Amino acid sequence: MHRRRPEIDPQLLSETDEQRQLRTVLRDLYAEASGVEDVRKHLAGPRGYDEALWARLAGEIGIHGLAVPEEYGGSGFTFAELAVALEESGRALYCAPLLPTVVLAAHALLLSGDRTACERYLPRIADGTLTATVAGFDADEPGVAAEQENRDGWVLRGRADFVLDGAGADLLLVRAGTPAGPRLFACEPAPDTALRTPRRVLDETRRQALVEFRGAPATAVGTAEEAEGTVSATLDTGRAALAAEQLGGSGHALDATVEFVAQRHQFGRPIGSFQAVKHRLADALVALEAARSASAYATACVAVASPQLPVAACAAAVVCSETFRLATAEYVQLHGGIGFTWEHPAHLYVRRARAAEVLFGTADQHRARLAERVGLAPRGAA
């Protein structure tokens, strides 16, 4: 039987003074250096984001190392502080690979318990000099196979599709099949052994690629027995992180819409004074507060390594995805004709919202997994 009462200290759901200060600093920085026009400009570049701002976030503010222990070059804070940064990046539609590098890859290394791999890669992730991602984590069966060449050396063969930042990441953490079962491997891809083909995706601010391994050298990370647990926990951490991003994007969409309807006049009065518009915005606000609660709970579960994380992550994924979809729909529709134009930022947020809905599974998949976790569905029904 699953306990119905959450086992999280309520104080962990409230923002601390340090977190508020971090939010203020980041919001000001993104307003200065990562506006919508900046995002559009950098999308056309080779890496798709402002590399100077990436280095600034890592060096001046220490975003990349917030949840990395001090022994590996980080600040030793928790995921709660990182979630603040993710929320603000989602609000600004920041298009650098924070999610694959700082969340997925960094936490996969930490969860693996492999000190050698952590010592080798985490300091460079924390200081912003290494970008990383994960591949094959969400597949039922690994599409990549690992072959052992000698006692310590492995090579990877096969393919992983729609890998976040797969075309540009310096390090790939790959879930690959072995005779003993799936295992985690670290691969620093070279052009002659790893072909990386960018995919055309709906959300251009979050690049993805097909990665084909052709005898790519790799190093085993962690143990075979712990590999699947590491992958599962990493994905749940990713869902919590994505929920924080979606919360930030929803907040921007609602704030921008409220500002517009207060200024736009029809029939001699602001359109925001019409009851129908008020009702729609009230519905969006109620949904936003529900998303805030779901995201805060998932964040707290990651921060304290709670066994409730799988439940919290699935709930946050469903609630925050639906809220982001609603908020961006109102962002477009209540702006009228201008909201449908390419020049308006609303369409960028709509694309992010729709793409994020399926990034780590669909809402139906999350509901099925959640039902199984709380005992409302037979195991294996999902």
Side-chain angles (χ1 to χ4, degrees), residues 368-369 371-382:
R369 184 168 178 247
E372 180 183 318
R373 287 279 178 174
V374 300
L376 296 179
R379 292 192 177 275

Side-chain angles (χ1 to χ4, degrees), residues 141 190 222 256 350:
E141 294 294 332
V350 169

Side-chain angles (χ1 to χ4, degrees), residues 112-137:
S112 75
D114 190 321
R115 290 188 61 85
T116 301
C118 288
E119 289 170 354
R120 181 175 182 180
Y121 297 119
L122 284 177
R124 287 189 285 157
I125 288 177
D127 67 16
T129 58
L130 180 78
T131 57
T133 190
V134 300
F137 274 39

Side-chain angles (χ1 to χ4, degrees), residues 314 318 358 360-370 382:
C314 285
V318 172
V358 297
F360 298 123
T362 66
D364 285 346
Q365 289 171 330
H366 294 315
R367 288 189 177 97
R369 184 168 178 247
L370 185 58

Side-chain angles (χ1 to χ4, degrees), residues 81-382:
E81 285 70 35
L82 180 56
V84 172
L86 291 165
E87 183 181 339
E88 290 306 310
S89 72
R91 185 181 183 89
L93 213 68
Y94 181 51
C95 50
L98 276 177
L99 181 63
T101 298
V102 179
V103 178
L104 298 176
H107 283 81
L109 288 167
L110 288 169
L111 290 164
S112 75
D114 190 321
R115 290 188 61 85
T116 301
C118 288
E119 289 170 354
R120 181 175 182 180
Y121 297 119
L122 284 177
R124 287 189 285 157
I125 288 177
D127 67 16
T129 58
L130 180 78
T131 57
T133 190
V134 300
F137 274 39
D138 55 354
D140 292 334
E141 294 294 332
V144 181
E147 302 171 2
Q148 192 162 16
E149 288 198 321
N150 50 55
R151 182 177 178 181
D152 299 316
W154 297 77
V155 293
L156 303 179
R157 302 185 190 279
R159 52 189 279 164
D161 208 351
F162 295 103
V163 177
L164 295 176
D165 197 36
D170 305 313
L171 171 69
L172 303 176
L173 293 174
V174 187
R175 174 177 172 259
T178 72
R183 193 166 179 185
L184 194 61
F185 294 88
C187 173
E188 298 181 51
D192 57 333
T193 57
L195 178 62
R196 303 194 277 178
T197 307
R199 288 298 199 189
R200 185 176 181 182
V201 291
L202 177 65
D203 177 16
E204 295 177 340
T205 67
R206 179 161 280 148
R207 293 187 174 187
Q208 301 181 47
L210 167 66
V211 183
E212 298 174 272
F213 298 96
R214 301 174 176 178
T219 305
V221 175
T223 64
E225 294 77 16
E226 299 294 330
E228 291 296 76
T230 296
V231 168
S232 180
T234 299
L235 287 175
D236 281 332
T237 301
R239 292 178 183 110
L242 185 62
E245 276 194 5
Q246 291 170 316
L247 177 63
S250 301
H252 164 82
L254 181 58
D255 289 348
T257 305
V258 169
E259 181 181 0
F260 178 79
V261 300
Q263 296 173 353
R264 175 68 172 169
H265 283 65
Q266 287 288 348
F267 307 108
R269 55 191 287 199
I271 63 172
S273 66
F274 297 128
Q275 190 173 44
V277 174
K278 288 180 180 180
H279 286 173
R280 291 171 67 167
L281 292 176
D283 288 344
L285 178 60
V286 170
L288 180 64
E289 291 306 311
R292 193 180 309 282
S293 296
S295 175
Y297 183 54
T299 292
C301 286
V302 177
V304 300
S306 169
Q308 290 290 319
L309 174 59
V311 171
C314 285
V318 172
V319 174
C320 293
S321 291
E322 292 181 346
T323 297
F324 200 10
R325 176 193 276 224
L326 172 64
T328 53
E330 299 294 19
Y331 193 8
V332 170
Q333 293 182 22
L334 291 179
H335 273 76
I338 192 175
F340 289 86
T341 64
W342 181 256
E343 291 76 17
H344 198 275
H347 80 90
L348 293 173
Y349 284 86
V350 169
R351 288 167 179 255
R352 171 66 70 87
R354 297 307 295 268
E357 280 186 69
V358 297
L359 189 54
F360 298 123
T362 66
D364 285 346
Q365 289 171 330
H366 294 315
R367 288 189 177 97
R369 184 168 178 247
L370 185 58
E372 180 183 318
R373 287 279 178 174
V374 300
L376 296 179
R379 292 192 177 275

Side-chain angles (χ1 to χ4, degrees), residues 2-19:
H2 291 264
R3 293 188 179 185
R4 300 293 182 181
R5 182 184 303 170
E7 297 178 352
I8 291 292
D9 184 346
Q11 290 186 344
L12 295 174
L13 306 178
S14 301
E15 202 167 70
T16 66
D17 289 339
E18 286 183 334
Q19 291 166 3

